[in-house]
Structures are given as C-alpha cells and as structure tokens.
C-alpha cells in the first residue's frame, strides 16, 4: 500500500478543518475527519442538487414557459456545460492561490445565480442563468477532489472517494423526492428557492470550517502559460488520458439517464412525478450501496483496475438490455423491466466513478487542481453532449437513451483497454503496479 502523503488526514499532520494544529486526541481526530467528510460531501453534492431537484419539474417548465421539451432540456445542458468550463478555470486557480479563496468566490456566485433562476421570465433567460449557476458551482466540485488529493494517498484516497459517494449520493436520493414534494405546494420556481437556501447554508459552513489544505510552498506561481503546459503534460500521460476518457464516457451514460428519465418514466410509461422521484431515489441508493461495498470491502483486496473493468462491463450489459427492451425485441414491456435495467446501470457506477478518480489522481500529486479540472471538465462536457442526443427521436421512445448509454459504455471500455492497458505493470498507478494491491 502506498504510504499516506505528508499532511494526509490519516497522519493528522495537517488538519483540514482546524486552525490550531494537530488534533490532540483520537476523538478530536475522528470529529475532524467526520466534519471534513461532511463538508466535502456537501460540495460534491452541488451538481446532483442542482440537476435532480429540478428534474420532476421539467414537464411543468415546458408548459409554464411555453417552450418545447428540447429547449427546456437545454437548461440541463447549459448548467452542465458551465460546470465543465468552470472547473477548467477554477482548478488551475486553486493550484496557484490555494483552495479556499476560489471556492468561497464560486459558492457566493452560485447562490446569486440560483436565486436569479427562480426569477427567470422565459426559457432563454433561464438557460443563461443556469449557465452562470453551473460556472460558479464548478468550484465546489473541482476543489473538493483537489482537497482529497492534498490530504490522502493510496488506499486511503480510494476509501475516501467511496465515502464521499455515501454523502454526495444522498443528494440524488433525496433531491428528486424533495423536488416532487415542492411541486405539491408550489411551482418549479420554488425548487430554485430551496436550492438558493441550500447553497447559502453550504457557503456559510465552508467559510467557517474549511481551512486551507494547499500550503504556499506547494502552489504553482506561474500564469496562463504554465497552466497550459501543466495540462498538456497531464494529457500526454497515456494512462491518465485513458482514465479521463473512461470517467467522461461513464458520466455521459449516467447523464443520458438523468436527462431522459423524466420523459421516459413520466411521459412514455405514465408515472407520476412522485413515482419518478421514488424510482430515481432507489437507483441512487443502488449507486451509493455499491460504492460503499467498493470502499469497505473491495479496496485493498481487489485491484482497482479489476473493479473498474467489472463496473464498465456491467454498464455495457445493462445498456444492451435496455436497448433490446425499448426497441421491442422482447415485445411490449412496462415500466418495471426498464426501471430494473436502469437500476443495474446506475448501481455499477458505484464501482466506476471512485475507481476512475483514484487511479487518475494517483498519477498527478504535483498538480491535483489542474488534474481535477481536466477530469471534471471532460465528464461534464460529454454529459452536456449526451443530453440533447437522447431527445433526437422525440419524446415517445426510450431507444435514443439506450443507444447513447450503450455507445458511451462501449467507448469507455475501449478507452480503458486501449489507453489504460490494465494488464501491463506500471499502468495501474504512476510509478506503481497495475494490480492495485501494492499501490492501488
């Protein structure tokens, strides 16, 4: 196992939440670790909160703003694209100026943009405010990953990413349920009001508790030129680029589900917003549970490359089954077979996402912010492409969703095998072995 890097949360040499030096007692150390987990989990929950609380309201927004479904789906696409581009800016900024200042600036702008979404008079202005919301919300995503890389290494990092899935995974479980209940008492604008309050609370907690994790001596003083050279060097690492593409195509398959499922479940199969929210929550529970099995049982016992390969294979098989069912190969099928296929696909993401992040960031201890930005930008950009693709054939068939998911799964597997080459020693980690036991 790789030793924890100096200043990791395991060593408690550099507590991320405390300005008073090392933790004095084991109980204080546990409290510090728990608070760090909750804060970073909250930051990584920003994307599913911004997306999933709004999903049950999509059909209502199309009616209230007198816009076609394809236009309203752009409110998802632009938010996702904003999160992608924002990470590309904030990640290098955090390598240069530290994690805290860019994070707080982004969170304040996120709160303001979300409040403006609640006041949007038409779809075009809503799309613009959602873009700003995504650009600002990117700070929480990219810096949370960079903080984990600042503080953890090896098995500890893999386990922490899996633990983060438990926290951030609660967001997609409860967000659609909350969104569905909000729609019982108010309209879609109330969803953004709640998101504004959530963002304000999270910003306050970060300001009061999360201290700097990147000391000045580890920062990059260079400007734009050095930033571009750093990203070029990262992308020149074949295995890092492979993991980047695996994560990006995996997330695109996930976002194809996120974007299409409100119309597939409610419009095609006739489910209510509350039933859709319940199914979405069950699928998210599957993702969280598999992620915890990965972190608590598999990490340290099974090579991460094998875990990742298994997860990608299951996603490909589930997408194949969804395509066969939705295209009528098995005759007419109801909601529950489709829901079962989506559950398997979502659950397998619990193996893919933490493993991909860990294997990629293990190769980049010298530029965690820039590496995190590239990982996040690629996933969100491909996700934003997947969103409009699922609506190409209209709102009355689930075939486009299944086609996009299967295509993304195949491309993710091809990237894993062609670029990461998990069977070769030295490709599993930077300077380590691929078996995942010695160095993950």
């Amino acid at each position: 196992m790789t030793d924890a890097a100096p200043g990791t949360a395991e060593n408690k040499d550099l507590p991320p939440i405390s300005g008073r030096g090392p933790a004095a007692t084991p109980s204080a150390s546990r409290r510090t670790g728990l608070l760090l987990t909750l804060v970073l989990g909250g930051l990584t929950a920003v994307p599913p909160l911004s997306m999933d609380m709004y999903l049950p309201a999509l059909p209502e927004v199309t009616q209230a703003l007198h816009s076609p479904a394809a236009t309203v789906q752009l409110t998802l696409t632009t938010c996702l694209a904003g999160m992608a581009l924002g990470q590309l800016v904030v990640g290098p900024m955090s390598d240069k100026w530290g994690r805290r200042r860019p994070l707080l600036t982004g969170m304040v702008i996120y709160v303001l943009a979300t409040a403006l979404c609640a006041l949007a008079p038409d779809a075009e202005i809503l799309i613009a405010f959602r873009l700003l919301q995504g650009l600002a919300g990117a700070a929480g995503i990219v810096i949370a990953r960079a903080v984990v890389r600042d503080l953890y290494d090896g098995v500890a990092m893999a386990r922490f990413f899996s633990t983060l899935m438990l926290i951030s995974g609660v967001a997609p479980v409860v967000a659609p349920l909350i969104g569905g209940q909000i729609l019982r008492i108010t309209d879609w604008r109330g969803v953004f009001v709640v998101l504004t309050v959530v963002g304000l609370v999270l910003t306050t907690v970060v300001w009061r508790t999360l201290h700097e994790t990147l000391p000045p001596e580890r920062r990059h003083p260079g400007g734009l030129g050095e930033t571009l050279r750093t990203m070029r060097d990262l992308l020149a690492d074949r295995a890092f680029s492979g993991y980047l593409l695996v994560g990006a195509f995996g997330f695109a398959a996930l976002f194809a589900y996120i974007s299409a499922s409100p119309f597939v479940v409610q419009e095609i199969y006739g489910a209510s917003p509350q039933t859709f929210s319940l199914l979405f929550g069950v699928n998210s529970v599957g993702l969280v549970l598999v992620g915890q099995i990965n972190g608590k049982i598999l990490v340290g016992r099974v090579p991460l490359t094998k875990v990742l390969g298994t997860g990608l294979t299951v996603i490909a098989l589930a997408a194949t089954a969804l395509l066969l069912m939705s295209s009528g190969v098995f005759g007419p099928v109801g909601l529950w077979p489709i829901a079962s296929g989506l559950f398997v696909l979502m659950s397998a993401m619990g193996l893919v996402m933490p493993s991909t992040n860990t294997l990629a960031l293990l190769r980049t201890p010298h530029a965690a912010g820039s590496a995190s930005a590239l990982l996040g930008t690629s996933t969100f950009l491909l996700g934003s492409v997947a969103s409009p693709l699922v609506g190409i054939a209209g709102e009355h068939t689930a075939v486009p969703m299944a086609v996009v998911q299967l295509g993304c799964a195949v491309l993710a597997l091809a990237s894993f095998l062609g670029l990461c080459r998990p069977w070769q020693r030295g490709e599993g980690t930077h300077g380590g072995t691929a078996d995942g036991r010695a160095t993950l």
Side-chain angles (χ1 to χ4, degrees):
M1 180 191 306
T2 301
D3 292 335
T8 65
E10 282 198 332
N11 293 338
K12 306 299 184 297
D13 293 331
L14 202 160
I17 301 185
S18 173
R20 299 180 297 223
T25 65
S27 61
S29 299
R30 285 192 294 270
R31 287 195 298 270
T32 296
L34 177 61
L35 185 54
L36 172 67
T37 302
L38 293 174
V39 171
L40 297 185
L43 292 173
T44 57
V46 168
L49 284 175
S50 300
M51 298 290 179
D52 300 344
M53 281 182 62
Y54 177 61
L55 289 179
L58 282 179
E60 179 183 326
V61 175
T62 61
Q63 298 176 6
L65 299 182
H66 308 290
S67 298
T71 300
V72 172
Q73 281 180 323
L74 286 177
T75 63
L76 294 176
T77 302
T78 53
C79 184
L80 200 64
M83 288 180 179
L85 299 175
Q87 290 182 72
L88 206 58
V89 175
V90 176
M93 286 173 58
S94 73
D95 281 340
K96 181 177 181 179
W97 294 323
R99 313 303 186 198
R100 183 173 163 83
R101 277 195 296 168
L103 175 59
L104 286 173
T105 301
M107 291 303 297
V108 169
I109 297 174
Y110 171 85
V111 170
L112 295 175
T114 306
L116 291 173
C117 287
L119 303 175
D122 55 48
E124 288 73 21
I125 293 180
L126 178 60
I127 289 170
F129 287 152
R130 288 282 280 175
L131 176 62
L132 180 61
Q133 183 191 41
L135 288 168
I141 313 166
V142 67
I143 292 179
R145 275 196 303 263
V147 167
V148 173
R149 189 62 187 97
D150 290 341
L151 302 171
Y152 290 88
D153 203 358
V155 168
M157 182 165 61
R159 286 178 174 157
F160 196 89
F161 273 126
S162 292
T163 301
L164 277 186
M165 288 194 61
L166 177 61
I167 305 300
S168 61
V170 170
V173 172
V174 302
L177 297 173
I178 294 173
Q181 296 307 312
I182 291 173
L183 294 177
R184 285 178 172 269
I185 58 176
T186 184
D187 61 7
W188 62 273
R189 297 181 189 275
V191 175
F192 287 107
V193 172
V194 174
L195 282 172
T196 301
V197 174
V198 171
L200 184 60
V201 171
L202 182 58
T203 303
T204 303
V205 172
V206 169
W207 175 65
R208 292 178 59 89
T209 63
L210 185 62
H211 292 254
E212 187 57 64
T213 61
L214 186 67
E217 62 271 17
R218 290 171 54 195
R219 297 177 189 176
H220 293 188
L224 177 61
E226 182 175 340
T227 296
L228 294 176
R229 284 192 296 272
T230 299
M231 290 188 171
R232 179 198 62 193
D233 292 341
L234 290 171
L235 293 174
D237 180 347
R238 173 174 46 77
F240 174 82
S241 294
Y243 293 123
L244 179 148
L245 289 174
V246 170
F249 285 119
F251 186 82
L254 174 63
F255 199 73
Y257 158 73
I258 292 174
S259 180
S261 59
F263 297 97
V264 170
V265 173
Q266 295 181 78
E267 301 295 330
I268 298 176
Y269 292 98
S272 67
Q274 289 70 39
T275 299
F276 162 73
S277 300
L278 178 62
L279 290 176
F280 197 94
V282 169
N283 290 341
S284 300
V285 168
L287 186 152
V288 171
L289 289 178
V290 172
Q292 294 314 293
I293 292 172
N294 180 38
K296 304 298 184 183
I297 298 175
L298 301 181
V299 169
R301 295 181 176 88
V302 180
L304 276 187
T305 49
K306 289 186 178 180
V307 172
L308 179 55
T310 300
L312 292 173
T313 302
V314 172
I315 290 173
L317 293 174
T320 301
L322 285 167
L323 178 59
L324 294 175
M325 287 188 291
S326 60
S327 60
V329 172
F330 303 124
V333 297
L335 172 62
W336 297 111
I338 295 292
S340 299
L342 291 172
F343 175 80
V344 173
L345 187 147
M346 281 282 286
S347 298
M349 293 290 176
L351 299 177
V352 171
M353 292 192 293
S355 301
T356 301
N357 285 331
T358 301
L359 288 166
L361 290 175
L362 277 173
R363 306 182 68 87
T364 61
H366 56 291
S370 295
S372 178
L374 287 172
L375 290 170
T377 297
S378 60
T379 56
F380 281 85
L381 280 178
L382 282 182
S384 66
V385 172
S387 175
L389 288 179
V390 299
I392 286 178
E395 306 168 27
H396 306 293
T397 175
V399 170
M401 178 187 72
V403 168
V404 172
Q405 289 173 330
L406 181 57
C408 290
V410 170
L411 290 171
L413 271 171
S415 300
F416 179 58
L417 297 175
L419 295 176
C420 303
R421 300 178 185 176
W423 61 86
Q424 293 182 354
R425 294 182 64 84
E427 296 300 335
T429 62
H430 188 52
T433 64
D435 66 6
R437 290 191 176 91
T439 59
L440 287 191

